[in-house]
Amino acid sequence: MKKSNMKKMKKKWSDYLWIVELCYLFLGLFNILFAWLGMLFFSIPLILALFGGSKVYCNRYCGRGQLFGLLGEKLKLSRNTPPPKFLRRPWFRYGFLTFFMIMFGLMLFSTYRVFTGAPLSQTVTLLWVFKLPWQWADVSFVSPWIGQFAFGFFGVMLTSTVLGLVTMVLFRPRSWCVYCPMGTMTQGICRLKNGKKAKEDGKTGEEDRRTFENAG
Amino acid sequence: MAMSRKIATIGKECVACGCCVRVCPKEALRIAWGISARVDPDKCVGCGKCAKVCPAAVIDLAERSAAAV
């Protein structure tokens, strides 16, 4: 076997980050305060895009993407058909990002309300509509706003996981990556940061296509 | 070495997720500047593995023809 193929087959630590994603979801079920750890999944891609100018998080370290890949490819849970075209259109991706951020902002606002004295709501909202009772969670030993943020944030993470699972089953395993708000945001940051350099650097993917279309 | 007849081409709506990079047996793909995947025409053998996994379905196989850059 060629050396390069052997190198490809050897798994790296980053290939097991799907375990982190699974642990996160299970830990959140047992203790809602673990939801705070999800902030890492928000901040790391942004930091890498802002300071590194790359989508290396999506490309290598996204545990959620790996999990969908495993479920869809290894366990064959995916129909593996191309997703509808609208999913990849900029209007949909940026529209979904805007919607997601508005809902995230509303979640932050309800945290603020609890911080200023409103009662804690012990529910996890799934798909922005369904309020799941979460009475078994004990958050009495922390400030109510800390608990409220955990409930809200776990709802955000659970919602995106459910959407990702549905599109994983219906379309290709990692269809979530197409409209993932974090992916859209980091790609947008990279475009702003590197757009000029990318043009100077030479051909973009689209130019590759044109070259060969003209040739064919 | 003889060039393959086909080559992968990337559409402008690439989301730069990197799925194609992972499956390419020839390491012919990379994510450039966090914006889009790019194909190295010298390395691509047109096997189509990238097109099969692309979640956005923006990778096609095109005839390399005379234009092989």
Side-chain angles (χ1 to χ4, degrees), chain A residues 116-147:
Chain A
T116 54
L120 173 74
S121 159
Q122 289 215 186
T123 54
V124 166
T125 310
L126 187 64
L127 296 167
W128 309 287
V129 180
F130 307 106
K131 292 202 181 295
L132 310 176
W134 220 266
Q135 301 302 330
W136 68 82
D138 179 20
V139 287
S140 57
F141 53 95
V142 291
S143 297
W145 72 270
I146 293 177

Side-chain angles (χ1 to χ4, degrees), chain A residues 8 53 55 58-59 83 88-90 93 172 174 178 187 190-191 194 197-198 201 203 205-206 208-209 212 215, chain B residues 10-17 19 21-22 24 33-35 38-39 51-52 54-58 60 65 67:
Chain A
K8 270 218 134 189
K55 274 194 65 161
C58 297
N59 304 158
R88 65 180 195 231
R89 301 277 190 243
R93 294 179 67 211
R172 286 191 173 154
R174 291 187 65 156
V178 180
Q187 193 182 21
C190 289
R191 262 187 221 284
N194 304 329
K197 278 188 260 177
D201 183 36
K203 293 183 296 181
E206 174 60 2
D208 280 348
R209 182 194 286 274
F212 290 102
Chain B
I10 316 289
K12 67 173 176 183
E13 285 169 333
C14 172
V15 297
C17 63
C19 293
V21 178
R22 262 191 301 277
C24 179
W33 305 101
I35 298 173
R38 278 193 198 173
V39 183
K52 277 184 194 151
C54 176
V58 293
D60 289 324
S65 79

